[in-house]
Amino acid sequence: MAAPTSEARAHSGPSYTTLLDFTHLGPLTRESAVKIRTVLALTTATALTLGLSACGGGGGGDTTSASPGAAAGGSTLTYWASNQGTSLDDDKKQLTPVLDAFQKQTGIKVNLEVIGWNDLQTRIQTAVTSGQGPDVVNIGNTWAASLQATGAFLPFDAKAMEAIGGKDKFVETALKTGGKEGEDPTSVPLYGLAYGLYYNKAMFKAAGLTPPTTWEEMVADAKKLTNPSTNVYGMSLAAGSYTENNHFAFINSQQNGGNFFDASGQPTFDTDANVQGIVRYLDLMQTHKVVNPSNAQYDNGTKSVADFSAKKAAMIINQNNADASIIANGMKADEYGVVPFPAPADAKNNTASHVAGINLSVFKNTKNQDAALKFVKFMTDASTQKTLGKPFSSLPVLKGETPVFTENAEEAKTFQEIYNTRSAPLPLVPAEDQFESTVGKAMNAMFAKIASGGTVSAADVKAAMKDAQDQVAASS
Amino acid sequence: MSAVPQIAPAPGASTTRRKKRERPRTTGGWLPYLLIAPAVIFELAIHLIPMAVGVWMSFIQLTKFFIRNWSAAPFVGLKNYRVAVDFNGIVGQRLLQSFLVTCAFSALAVLFAWALGMLAAVVLQKEFKGRAFFRTLFLVPYALPAYAGIITWNFMLQRDTGLVNHILVDQLHLTDTRPFWLIGNNAFVSLVVVAIWRLWPFAFLTIMAGLQSIPQDVYEAAEVDGARPLKAWRMITLPMLRPVNTVLIFVLFLWTFCDFNTPFVLFGSAQPPAGDLISFHIYNASFLTWNFGSGAAMSCLLLIFLMIVTGLYLALTNRRSANA
């Protein structure tokens, strides 16, 4: 930045006094004018340098590069955790002792930031774009293939897998969510979740019903338990949440033997199996009328949980982390039971859930790859899984472990069984995120139409799926 | 950084001085350039470079595959634009639909915000007891943080528990079934109402300020000549407020057309097609799908449209004021 000063001094000989007129300040010599000028130039230059370097350096300071000269083994990691517990602060409280134990064991310090779900994807996007992010990050496991496509994450090849304890320790279906099939995964499972059908024991008993084992039984039960005049319905759905809706499009399509992407990764949204699966789900509100039309406005799962806890709905289909909210809403643990979400009697297969949950990824450009892998190993260790399984209501992602999130052994067994044997991963293709948003939002609109008195036919669903499919094709 | 504001006034000061003396000066030297350099650099860094980057993005296929290394993204020429304006394709169709929704939204919101603002300003022009109270009260929506105001509307517009349905259905018994306000086609009505509620205090404030500059004796003269209030408003207030209205309506239009906060907060992640304003649409088109090239192309199209509207509006209003 010193260049303009000296250069300018060299060729600005004749016009000292014409540049700035300081006569009103009193007698000024040529020399003092030069001095003032130089001072001005220098201050400007300094100010600019400071300003520019501040711009350039901003945001980088919070990453690991800050402490290169730390003591042996004393490197620092930055870890972005997703919000799993009841609040960001609570998560921090739960994770801090775990991270302290890790530091004690390895000497590696972990800077923790817990990020809410609404911000997490944007934050990861920014980190990928700018190359300035954390070392280790939690991702929703359904994003795995999409995020893998960015190339920003470290593939767990044989060597990296070895470093975190070998791929054999994970439940097979869980590890499948790590990335695209046939490639080294860029994420490994951390917390397992699965859908289950929660039912209110007292309401079922009063109506003389037993928990359903087929879709048909579920609908029949729900009809018996529905009484709009008292505002009680057989089921409650998060029908206004595109993330929930696309999961049920997927699960119902799986039961029909359908797929949303073909082997080459091209979208096949409007096949009969998919359309019929979606119609079946919509019909809970449309034909069977066992769902309160208000549910079309429920934009996240906690609202149906609230209805269930308030005994306004006899059944909900939620992931096992609903336990915490159900109990927080005042229902006792022995007042509800869980069975797998049932498939129709003539279903092609009995998929009851997608493999839901949270995965752990390492940014490829981390300066502490060894430390990061050590951390991943630690987080996926049996003991850490046990510690965090309860507060975060998660299923262990490791073979041979039992869930600790509930005291109810039967419920724990049901969920672990669904997770290990009756769940399939959402499409493991880069366009998975677009499947979620296009199909899920189309279903939002269908539920909205049904709720406000319209009808949605199979042909309408097919047309909407064609639109969604074209959207995905157009933007890839 | 403190050096910059100290230097900034210097060029202005020296030009006025130069004018006063009328002394021809030799141009050249580096100081003037140095003095405006901070302004130029910051203008470049904050405005022009990001804009140029945006335009560049619209010509490349910036998807998740290339987001990490932009320079690897293939140059696709006008493809992003062709997709955006191909109204037979689904992307173009949706964009067109969003554009039309935005036009209708913008027209209604500006019209009602302006009319309400005008009405309130004229009513509060006459001195009466409690005038200051009403003036303050009317400005509340404008003073509230956008998020707080809109989220309150979100609560009021809930189907089962919302205040609006409680009044319409439970108190007044206007309909038997409880209507939805945040999904389906009613969402458009909700969006317009909330936008008007947010905007009209600004119209009110601006028009009220404008009214203060109209001399009272003009009205008195008109009254002597037998003009009724409505005629006085039409013949005096409106023409004399013309410069104010010209700017006001234009600003309101730009704000509503690019409104992002209202749909974002009102609908959250479950936005209905009827409330799909264009800024929000573009945000979804690029951030949810990681297709930033396509989003950039749509943004550029929006920019071009707004520039054309601005040009026409300025030409039209300037010509008319020249004639007047």
Side-chain angles (χ1 to χ4, degrees), chain B residues 62-85:
Chain B
L62 193 57
T63 57
K64 56 168 117 26
F65 298 98
F66 306 106
I67 190 80
R68 211 167 134 251
N69 180 8
W70 290 24
S71 57
F75 183 83
V76 289
L78 290 173
K79 181 188 162 222
N80 287 327
Y81 289 91
R82 270 201 304 273
V83 171
V85 297

Side-chain angles (χ1 to χ4, degrees), chain A residues 173-326:
Chain A
T173 41
L175 188 62
K176 258 194 195 166
T177 63
K180 218 172 141 183
E181 220 158 334
E183 285 180 29
D184 287 331
T186 50
S187 66
V188 292
L190 175 62
Y191 308 128
L193 295 167
Y195 276 108
L197 181 75
Y198 287 78
Y199 66 95
N200 182 319
K201 284 182 180 168
M203 286 165 94
F204 266 68
K205 200 172 167 200
L209 300 169
T210 51
T213 54
T214 63
W215 174 273
E216 290 78 9
E217 281 176 32
M218 182 185 84
V219 171
D221 293 354
K223 276 185 179 161
K224 275 187 199 145
L225 293 163
T226 297
N227 184 358
S229 63
T230 54
N231 211 18
V232 173
Y233 286 83
M235 300 192 78
S236 179
L237 312 174
S241 157
Y242 79 86
T243 48
E244 293 283 323
N245 278 337
N246 81 71
H247 295 161
F248 288 104
F250 171 76
I251 297 168
N252 282 291
S253 139
Q254 284 281 308
Q255 296 174 345
N256 291 357
N259 261 314
F260 279 91
F261 289 90
D262 62 18
S264 60
Q266 291 306 305
T268 54
F269 294 178
D270 63 349
T271 59
D272 273 347
N274 296 344
V275 171
Q276 290 308 327
I278 291 172
V279 169
R280 185 160 74 225
Y281 188 64
L282 294 176
D283 274 348
L284 289 174
M285 185 187 281
Q286 181 168 247
T287 316
H288 309 310
K289 300 195 192 305
V290 296
V291 174
N292 188 338
S294 279
N295 289 189
Q297 245 180 316
Y298 285 10
D299 57 5
N300 66 62
T302 58
K303 294 185 177 169
S304 354
V305 169
D307 276 3
F308 181 69
S309 317
K311 304 183 174 60
K312 283 186 192 165
M315 290 180 266
I316 50 169
I317 317 161
N318 270 70
Q319 295 176 14
N320 47 294
N321 55 359
D323 269 40
S325 336
I326 293 176

Side-chain angles (χ1 to χ4, degrees), chain A residues 127-146:
Chain A
V128 170
T129 315
S130 63
Q132 292 181 332
D135 302 282
V136 183
V137 65
N138 282 9
I139 64 170
N141 70 3
T142 61
W143 307 343
S146 299

